[in-house]
């Protein structure tokens, strides 16, 4: 028999023994005052409260089974994607802004405030040298934050909609 099952059985036995001996001990052990008279009900409550703490431990699994299945405590991290899972999203420009980067860097970043098709308003970075974006232009935005500029989590895609490719430099 498994160690965990034995310990649950021992707790249930002590609950029953305490109920038979004295109703006060049972209420202290199980912390339920409304179930003083009924032995079976008290035992059920005691076992259920002890099992709540033991729920996440796997019964009788070998290390290889746990390795194949993955750990019991893995929780999926929430996505940092501002597009709710979509790789690209269309947006309308509300305003062009110039943002200043964090401490060691000093070159100003050309950004635009965009209202995305999902209704969110975000600041997007315009990569490359020069752009001709104005209010009401349409741009395609992709994921990718600008590390040295706080608040900028998306980038505009060059060569799509109203944002042309970088013009040839001479």
């Amino acid at each position: 028999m498994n160690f965990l099952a034995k310990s649950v059985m021992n707790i249930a036995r002590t609950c029953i023994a305490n109920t038979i001996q004295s109703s006060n001990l049972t209420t202290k052990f199980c912390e339920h005052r409304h179930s003083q008279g009924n032995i079976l009900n008290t035992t059920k409550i005691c076992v259920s409260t002890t099992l709540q703490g033991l729920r996440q431990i796997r019964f009788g699994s070998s290390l290889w089974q746990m390795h194949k299945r993955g750990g019991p405590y893995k929780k999926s991290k929430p996505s940092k994607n501002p597009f709710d899972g979509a790789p690209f999203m269309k947006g309308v420009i509300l305003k062009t802004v110039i943002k200043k980067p964090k401490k060691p860097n000093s070159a100003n970043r050309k950004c635009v405030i965009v209202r995305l098709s999902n209704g969110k308003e975000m600041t997007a970075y315009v990569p490359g040298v020069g752009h001709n974006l104005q209010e009401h232009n349409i741009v395609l935005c992709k994921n990718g934050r600008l590390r040295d500029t706080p608040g900028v989590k998306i980038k505009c895609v060059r060569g799509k909609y109203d944002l042309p490719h970088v013009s040839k430099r001479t």
Side-chain angles (χ1 to χ4, degrees):
M1 190 182 264
N2 197 348
F3 172 74
L4 234 86
K6 284 181 183 176
S7 62
V8 169
M9 291 299 291
N10 287 338
I11 291 170
R13 280 192 198 116
T14 51
C15 272
I16 293 170
N18 288 342
T19 307
I20 293 169
Q21 288 174 4
S22 167
S23 62
N24 292 337
L25 287 174
T26 310
T27 54
K28 285 179 189 172
F29 186 74
C30 294
E31 298 175 3
H32 289 282
R33 300 197 192 288
H34 63 275
S35 58
Q36 288 179 356
N38 193 352
I39 297 172
L40 188 62
N41 193 20
T42 308
T43 308
K44 283 181 185 175
I45 291 170
C46 289
V47 171
S48 68
T49 51
T50 51
L51 282 176
Q52 282 176 357
L54 304 173
R55 232 179 236 155
Q56 294 182 355
I57 300 171
R58 297 179 192 265
F59 288 95
S61 294
S62 67
L63 283 175
W64 178 244
Q65 287 170 333
M66 289 177 74
H67 173 70
K68 280 199 301 187
R69 237 182 265 140
Y73 306 113
K74 281 185 186 173
K75 289 183 181 175
S76 60
K77 293 180 183 175
S79 174
K80 290 186 177 181
N81 189 347
F83 302 150
D84 305 324
F88 297 97
M89 198 164 277
K90 197 193 305 195
V92 179
I93 292 177
L94 302 176
K95 189 181 181 184
T96 59
V97 290
I98 293 175
K99 289 257 193 181
K100 295 195 179 202
K102 285 199 269 186
K103 192 61 182 274
N105 299 336
S106 60
N108 292 334
R109 309 284 182 238
K110 278 54 173 189
C111 299
V112 288
I113 297 176
V114 180
R115 178 178 285 123
L116 297 169
S117 56
N118 64 358
K120 292 182 182 177
E121 287 184 15
M122 302 191 76
T123 308
Y125 172 65
V126 183
V129 180
H131 67 83
N132 59 353
L133 291 176
Q134 304 171 24
E135 198 175 341
H136 305 301
N137 280 4
I138 294 173
V139 290
L140 186 71
C141 297
K142 67 176 182 177
N143 248 337
R145 72 188 186 103
L146 213 57
R147 292 191 176 180
D148 63 355
T149 313
V152 180
K153 294 185 177 79
I154 57 176
K155 295 178 181 175
C156 295
V157 178
R158 301 287 311 225
K160 200 72 177 157
Y161 302 128
D162 293 335
L163 181 59
H165 288 287
V166 178
S167 59
K168 203 171 192 180
R169 291 185 285 169
T170 54

